[in-house]
Amino acid sequence: MYPNDPNKPRTQRFDQGYNADPQAPQAYPDQGYQQPYRDNQYRDDQYYAAAPQPATPQRRPKPRRPQVNPGMYIGGVLATAVVTALAAWLVAWIIRLIITRVNETGALGVWNPMANDEYWFGVVAFFCAIFAGALWYVLQLATPAPNQFFKWIVGLLVVAAMLIPLLLSLEWVTGISTAIVHAVIGLPIMFLIPAMGTKSMEHH
């Protein structure tokens, strides 16, 4: 009797499938047909898991350089300029006052204390500090160690500013007093500007 025997009831024809003999192997078993594939897949997974995987190069994140807060830095530079101008004016005024008292006695002759007026030194000191602030900012953007380069540049300029009046002034008193004022202008700039820049750094 065949599965599609018209003489057999409809439910029996479709319930028994295409093999009428229950002893015969099923044409499409649920488990046995796919078992070899599953075994092979398991072995492949084990092989790829055990095989050494090539190491993927990891890029090190570039360290972000601290940025300067413009508002704080400009304020620090302006404060440094004011301090330097006041210091230069005060020292020049003290030197002129002392030498004026010496000249009044007449014991040591008449000395010309400085080549320029004390107000001139105050104005020069203010603009020198502004220029130094701009220089430090450029060095911070273009060099790896701005503080070291800044101190070297300003230090050499201070030395030159002290030697020039000593070597070129006709009167040694004028040379010494001018060199002292130049040192008073340069030293605060050399130390205060890098300090203002460091304090203005923002670490992200």
Side-chain angles (χ1 to χ4, degrees):
M1 182 178 295
Y2 296 95
N4 297 328
D5 189 356
N7 296 325
K8 193 173 182 178
R10 182 179 181 86
T11 57
Q12 294 182 6
R13 282 184 292 164
F14 289 96
D15 291 344
Q16 292 183 3
Y18 292 98
N19 290 322
D21 188 1
Q23 302 295 332
Q26 296 295 323
Y28 299 97
D30 294 338
Q31 301 294 335
Y33 182 76
Q34 296 182 359
Q35 189 65 30
Y37 170 77
R38 293 180 179 178
D39 294 341
N40 293 335
Q41 183 67 26
Y42 175 76
R43 287 194 294 270
D44 292 342
D45 294 341
Q46 292 294 105
Y47 171 77
Y48 286 113
Q53 300 296 328
T56 56
Q58 297 181 356
R59 295 182 178 179
R60 295 182 179 179
K62 294 182 178 180
R64 299 186 64 181
R65 191 170 185 176
Q67 300 296 323
V68 177
N69 187 332
M72 292 183 62
Y73 181 67
I74 292 174
V77 171
L78 290 177
T80 302
V82 172
V83 170
T84 306
L86 290 176
W89 172 84
L90 182 60
V91 171
W93 178 77
I94 291 174
I95 293 175
R96 184 181 295 276
L97 183 62
I98 292 173
I99 297 182
T100 300
R101 292 289 183 265
V102 172
N103 291 336
E104 289 178 354
T105 61
L108 300 176
V110 178
W111 294 354
N112 183 17
M114 289 177 295
N116 296 293
D117 191 73
E118 55 266 22
Y119 295 104
W120 165 257
F121 287 107
V123 173
V124 171
F126 182 87
F127 285 103
C128 285
I130 298 297
F131 174 78
L135 175 63
W136 185 92
Y137 187 77
V138 172
L139 293 174
Q140 196 274 335
L141 296 177
T143 62
N147 290 342
Q148 284 74 8
F149 285 109
F150 179 83
K151 289 181 179 180
W152 271 98
I153 293 173
V154 175
L156 293 175
L157 291 177
V158 170
V159 172
M162 293 176 65
L163 291 178
I164 289 175
L166 289 175
L167 298 176
L168 300 181
S169 297
L170 298 178
E171 297 182 1
W172 63 273
V173 177
T174 303
I176 292 176
S177 59
T178 305
I180 292 174
V181 177
H182 288 176
V184 171
I185 295 173
L187 292 178
I189 291 174
M190 186 169 60
F191 292 103
L192 287 178
I193 293 295
M196 296 302 102
T198 303
K199 294 294 184 180
S200 302
M201 291 291 185
E202 292 182 344
H203 297 270
H204 298 280

